[in-house]
């Protein structure tokens, strides 16, 4: 007779459920990323940006120069714009000679012909404020150059007068504004001038309506409170 197997379910009252052991999660390992750039790189970038800014500012300051074949690197500036010519003085490397923009150049000087009138003292102050002085005429060549320019910018139908840097002091003694010695033989007074020295103590180039005039004797002494145009002179700048 085959044996019969019987299954029974037995429960134990005091049995405790299987203990659950909580295993703490494995700590994440710190990731070590390799450093992508050296610590000094941000400082280098900042320095380069600063140098770029300085270069831009310098370029803006020097941009007004007009030149051929290059650019001056240094110039004492009393003006916003200069015109420079490249030259090679004897015994020197390449240099520049410069005049303010709008001024006329002759030999080693730059000349400014005003388009407005002022009294004698105001005229000298205006020239001084530009780092120049009323023109001092030292030679016949300079007188001829100025006379021809004065005719070229002639503005009135009858006459135009330009103050120059010559003034009469006591006893009718004439003196150039830059203390150049006054030499009567090297002057260009109109016939009969100067006269009325007790009152007319300033000198001016006097251009009449005849532009075809070939005479260079055109200085005239005038009252210093007369409103005249003016010619300022500035030494050419070498850089």
């Amino acid at each position: 007779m085959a044996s019969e197997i019987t299954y029974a379910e037995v429960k134990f009252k005091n049995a405790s459920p299987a203990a659950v052991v909580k295993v703490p999660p494995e700590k994440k390992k710190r990731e070590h990323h390799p450093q992508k750039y050296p610590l000094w790189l941000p400082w280098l970038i900042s320095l380069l940006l600063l140098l770029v800014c300085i270069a831009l500012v310098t370029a803006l300051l020097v941009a007004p120069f007009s030149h051929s074949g290059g650019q001056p690197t240094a110039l004492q500036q009393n003006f916003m714009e200069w015109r420079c010519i490249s030259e090679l003085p004897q015994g020197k490397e390449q240099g520049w000679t410069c005049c303010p923009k709008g001024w006329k150049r002759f030999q080693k000087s730059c000349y400014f012909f005003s388009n407005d009138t002022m009294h004698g003292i105001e005229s000298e102050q205006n020239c001084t404020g530009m780092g120049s002085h009323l023109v001092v005429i030292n030679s016949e060549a300079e007188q001829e150059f100025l006379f021809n320019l004065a005719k070229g910018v002639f503005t009135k139908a009858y006459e135009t007068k330009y103050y120059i840097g010559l003034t009469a002091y006591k006893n009718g003694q004439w003196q150039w504004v830059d203390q150049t010695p006054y030499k009567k033989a090297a002057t260009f007074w109109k016939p009969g001038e100067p006269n009325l020295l007790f009152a007319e103590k300033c000198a001016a180039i006097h251009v009449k309506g005849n532009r075809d005039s070939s005479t260079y004797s055109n200085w005239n002494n005038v009252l210093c409170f007369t409103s005249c145009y003016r010619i300022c002179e500035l030494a050419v700048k070498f850089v």
Side-chain angles (χ1 to χ4, degrees):
M1 174 183 231
S3 61
E4 183 177 351
I5 299 175
T6 303
Y7 292 91
E9 186 178 21
V10 180
K11 293 185 179 180
F12 300 91
K13 295 183 178 179
N14 296 328
S16 60
V20 177
V21 179
K22 293 184 179 180
V23 180
E26 184 179 358
K27 293 183 179 179
K28 294 184 178 180
K29 295 182 179 180
R30 293 182 180 178
E31 296 181 356
H32 295 281
H33 297 286
Q35 190 170 338
K36 296 182 179 180
Y37 51 82
L39 295 176
W40 49 262
L41 186 58
W43 295 97
L44 178 60
I45 294 175
S46 299
L47 178 60
L48 291 175
L49 289 175
L50 177 61
L51 292 176
V52 170
C53 292
I54 293 174
L56 289 174
V57 172
T58 303
L60 290 174
L61 291 175
V62 182
F65 284 96
S66 297
H67 51 80
S68 57
Q71 180 169 294
T73 56
L75 185 66
Q76 294 179 351
Q77 293 192 19
N78 288 318
F79 301 88
M80 293 298 295
E81 296 185 68
W82 295 76
R83 291 200 177 277
C84 300
I85 300 175
S86 177
E87 292 188 352
L88 292 173
Q90 292 184 354
K92 294 185 178 181
E93 297 181 355
Q94 182 176 0
W96 300 85
T97 56
C98 305
C99 282
K101 184 178 180 180
W103 291 51
K104 306 298 182 181
R105 177 178 174 176
F106 178 72
Q107 295 180 349
K108 295 183 179 181
S109 291
C110 314
Y111 301 90
F112 170 75
F113 282 71
S114 74
N115 56 13
D116 62 337
T117 61
M118 293 182 177
H119 297 167
I121 295 178
E122 293 174 331
S123 294
E124 177 56 31
Q125 290 174 343
N126 179 264
C127 293
T128 302
M130 295 189 291
S132 61
H133 55 73
L134 284 173
V135 64
V136 175
I137 302 173
N138 298 303
S139 67
E140 183 176 348
E142 186 178 17
Q143 164 68 14
E144 180 177 354
F145 170 80
L146 295 173
F147 176 67
N148 288 329
L149 273 182
K151 290 193 301 180
V153 297
F154 190 80
T155 57
K156 290 188 178 181
Y158 177 63
E159 64 180 5
T160 302
K161 293 179 181 178
Y162 293 88
Y163 275 120
I164 62 177
L166 187 61
T167 307
Y169 291 91
K170 60 182 179 180
N171 302 324
Q173 296 178 354
W174 291 91
Q175 179 64 58
W176 288 106
V177 69
D178 68 345
Q179 306 304 312
T180 296
Y182 174 78
K183 298 179 180 179
K184 188 175 181 180
T187 59
F188 303 91
W189 294 105
K190 291 172 58 179
E193 301 290 344
N195 59 10
L196 302 175
L197 288 177
F198 65 92
E200 298 181 343
K201 297 181 179 294
C202 287
I205 288 180
H206 189 188
V207 182
K208 288 218 164 188
N210 182 9
R211 296 192 182 190
D212 297 327
S213 175
S214 59
T215 179
Y216 302 119
S217 298
N218 57 8
W219 295 4
N220 190 183
N221 64 318
V222 297
L223 297 171
C224 292
F225 55 80
T226 303
S227 290
C228 298
Y229 295 92
R230 61 197 173 279
I231 304 174
C232 302
E233 181 179 5
L234 171 69
V236 167
K237 297 293 185 182
F238 294 90
V239 294

